[in-house]
Amino acid sequence: MPVSIHVRSRRDRPARGADAAVRECFEELRDIDRVFSTYRPDSDVSRIRAGELSIDDADPRVAVVAADCRLATVTTAGLFSAYWRGWFDPTGYVKGWAVENAARRHLAPLVEDDIAVGINAGGDLQLFTAVGADWHWTVGIADPRETGKVLATLDVADGAVATSGTAERGRHIIDPRTGRPATSVLSATVVADSLACADLWATTSVVAGFDDRSWVAHAGTRTGVVLSPDGRVFRWLGPTTVEVVPAAR
C-alpha cells in the first residue's frame, strides 16, 4: 500500500523533529503490519487463525482491535464483522485504526511548530491543522467511472477521509450476513473525526447498499458521498441524508 506523509511548514522547511516523527510513524506502521497482516504466516493474526496463538496471548494491540471490532459489529447491526469467515480477521477495520493511531502519536504533535500535517494511506487520510491557522486540506474524491475525473472536492482542516468500493479492487467487500460480495455501491467516501470511524463506515455503507441509509443517523460521521453503479448519488450532513439529482434543464 502506498503511504505518504505531508507537512505544511511555517518556514522554508519543516520544524526540527519532523523527519524523526515521520520515520517513527512509518516504523510503527511496519510493526503493526508485522502483527496484523493476513499475508504473513508469522503474524499474530495468522497464528491466531492457525490455532497457534490466542488473542489474549498475542500482542496487546490485538485485544484492543478485537474489542473495537466486537463493538463495531453491534454499532453497524451486523454490517461489519471480523469473524464472518469463522475466524478473527480485522482487515476491514485495522487499516484505519493503525494509520490513525500512528498519526496521532507521531504526526499530530508537529502542528505545534508547523501549520499542518497529514498522512495518506492508499487514499485514506488522517489530517491535522494547527488551531487558528488559515489552512485547510482540499481533498478530491475520484470518480470511479472515469480515470482522472473528480466526483467532488472537500475542504478539511482536522479530520479523516476514507473511501471504499468496488471500482479499484473489484468485488472484494463481502456482506458478512450472506458471505457474498456487496455490489450495489460503486464508491463510498466518508468524512469523520477519526480515520478508524471513517474507514469502518465507508466499508459499512458499501455492505448496506445504496438504498439503505438507516445507518447514517447513528454513525457519528460528518459527511460523505455514495455512488451507485448506475450513477445515482446520495450525500449526507451529520445525521441528515441529501439526495443528489440532476438539475432540471
Side-chain angles (χ1 to χ4, degrees):
M1 180 195 308
V3 179
S4 59
I5 294 171
H6 309 264
V7 179
R8 178 74 176 178
S9 178
R10 299 181 191 274
R11 313 167 191 77
D12 293 337
R13 56 181 298 175
R16 243 185 303 180
D19 287 345
V22 169
R23 285 196 303 271
E24 289 164 3
C25 186
F26 278 121
E27 287 170 5
E28 180 167 336
L29 290 174
R30 293 187 186 99
D31 187 54
I32 291 173
D33 181 70
R34 176 188 62 80
V35 173
F36 287 97
S37 174
T38 58
Y39 299 100
R40 299 176 55 153
D42 60 341
S43 74
D44 286 32
V45 165
S46 292
R47 293 178 63 205
I48 290 168
R49 181 178 63 191
E52 301 171 359
L53 187 69
S54 71
I55 289 178
D56 290 339
D57 292 331
D59 184 290
R61 291 169 291 188
V62 175
V64 172
V65 169
D68 287 352
C69 287
R70 288 193 294 271
L71 179 60
T73 300
V74 174
T75 304
T76 65
L79 293 170
F80 168 85
S81 173
Y83 290 90
W84 72 271
R85 295 179 187 270
W87 59 80
F88 178 59
D89 180 0
T91 302
Y93 175 80
V94 75
K95 172 192 169 185
W97 174 89
V99 173
E100 179 189 346
N101 277 271
R104 290 193 184 280
R105 184 172 293 108
H106 302 292
L107 304 181
L110 294 177
V111 299
E112 294 178 7
D113 296 308
D114 291 307
I115 295 173
V117 60
I119 184 169
N120 181 336
D124 292 344
L125 314 171
Q126 183 73 56
L127 308 168
F128 308 98
T129 301
V131 175
D134 185 19
W135 170 262
H136 61 259
W137 303 87
T138 299
V139 180
I141 301 175
D143 188 333
R145 299 164 298 182
E146 187 174 340
T147 302
K149 186 176 179 180
V150 175
L151 183 66
T153 59
L154 301 165
D155 287 341
V156 181
D158 281 79
V161 184
T163 298
S164 189
T166 60
E168 292 289 331
R169 296 174 54 194
R171 299 178 175 183
H172 71 289
I173 298 174
I174 304 299
D175 185 336
R177 301 166 299 180
T178 65
R180 298 173 183 163
T183 60
S184 73
V185 169
L186 191 58
S187 175
T189 296
V190 175
V191 183
D193 297 338
S194 149
L195 185 53
C197 174
D199 194 22
L200 170 66
W201 287 105
T203 301
T204 296
S205 65
V206 175
V207 173
F210 185 84
D211 295 318
D212 182 358
R213 290 90 185 269
S214 60
W215 57 271
V216 173
H218 63 267
T221 62
R222 296 183 190 176
T223 187
V225 56
V226 175
L227 176 69
S228 73
D230 61 8
R232 291 178 295 155
V233 177
F234 86 84
R235 299 187 68 168
W236 66 95
L237 294 170
T240 305
T241 59
V242 180
E243 195 76 40
V244 180
V245 296
R249 291 183 179 273

